[in-house]
Amino acid sequence: MPTPTGIMDPMPEGDTVWQTAQRLHQALAGAPLTRSDLRVPRLATADLTGRQVLEVVPRGKHLLTRVEGGLTLHSHLRMDGSWQVYGPDERWRGGPHHQIRAILATAAHTAVGYRLPVLELLRTGDEDRIVGHLGPDLLGPDWDPDEALRRLLADPARPLGEALLDQRNLAGIGNVYKSELCFVLRVSPWLPIGEVPSPERLVAHAKKLLEANRNRRARVTTAEPRRDRRLWVYGRPGRPCLRCGTPVRAADQGRAGQERSTFWCPSCQAGPQGPGPGPS
């Protein structure tokens, strides 16, 4: 979860996962694996050594490492998982040794998966079992804005923030983009999705923001280079809104047990102001 002074969400979002897939693909694809060490009980006997990595592709927040022989290693980073890539003589710096869940190495590179909460090996033909429920991927070849909009509006009473986080609607949006998109559209995250003016703009802006950030090291939604001004509202509770100066508010949003922190400006964003019905 975010801290009052933080500006980045610890949970990777679609752009971060896309970057991770690119790094893994560049490091592993096209060469046989010289080491395969999968450190989860159900994969303890699995050995991919000698097989060639065909490609590493992102699907929303999921990573699919496809290996010859019709196998896919599926991983998900959730809150604090990560894949790090190292050279042959480089020191591993991703965390303590006991946090390593996977090691995949070629002659040139070693990819190390730290704190991976999801790691499973399946047949490539069965990938739909784990990602088939996802909506159109904002950074994927299957992107379909009309289908994403249809899914978002299927439940018009649902609060906008919750609808955006639901990966079954469109895949790749996390807590940062949820808050930032609502600000850019000047609507409250608690506004029912069916009441959002020109909802097609929502889908277009989501695509634009993730595309703009997929090659950046630091996520930016304001076009400001300064670290404390890169995001409009996310991670800025109590600080002045960068547009109007009103203190930014924060509250948990979501169903019980699934709450996520949400940030918004009560002056710039029209609609219900946090939990409860109050209008802006």
Side-chain angles (χ1 to χ4, degrees), residues 55-70:
E55 60 182 345
V56 183
V57 298
R59 181 70 174 89
K61 299 182 185 182
H62 300 255
L63 286 163
L64 304 172
T65 302
R66 295 171 180 156
V67 183
E68 68 176 347

Side-chain angles (χ1 to χ4, degrees), residues 125-201:
D126 295 334
E127 287 179 359
D128 272 358
R129 176 173 63 81
I130 53 173
V131 296
H133 67 288
L134 298 175
D137 189 335
L138 283 154
L139 294 178
D142 70 319
W143 174 242
D144 183 339
D146 293 333
E147 175 62 14
L149 184 59
R150 184 193 69 78
R151 292 187 180 211
L152 283 167
L153 296 178
D155 184 359
R158 193 175 192 187
L160 173 58
E162 293 182 34
L164 287 173
L165 282 185
D166 191 336
Q167 301 299 294
R168 296 170 298 180
N169 292 331
L170 66 172
I173 290 180
N175 227 27
V176 177
Y177 285 120
K178 172 196 70 176
S179 295
E180 295 295 288
L181 278 166
C182 292
F183 180 85
V184 168
L185 293 175
R186 295 180 176 251
V187 293
S188 164
W190 281 268
L191 184 70
I193 182 72
E195 298 179 22
V196 174
S198 303
E200 65 278 359
R201 292 177 56 240

Side-chain angles (χ1 to χ4, degrees), residues 1-4 8-11 79 175 234 251-252 259-262:
M1 299 296 291
T3 63
M8 299 299 287
D9 195 311
M11 177 176 283
M79 288 297 292
N175 227 27
Y234 185 85
D252 286 340
E259 302 94 336
R260 298 291 304 279
S261 294
T262 294

Side-chain angles (χ1 to χ4, degrees), residues 12-28 56-58 61-63 65 75 77 81-85 111-113 116 214:
E13 306 200 20
D15 52 354
T16 306
V17 175
W18 188 91
Q19 292 173 15
T20 300
Q22 297 303 301
R23 290 197 302 272
L24 290 174
H25 181 85
Q26 292 170 7
L28 301 176
V56 183
V57 298
K61 299 182 185 182
H62 300 255
L63 286 163
T65 302
S75 57
L77 306 181
S82 71
W83 279 97
Q84 304 294 328
V85 175
V112 184
L116 300 175
R214 69 178 182 177

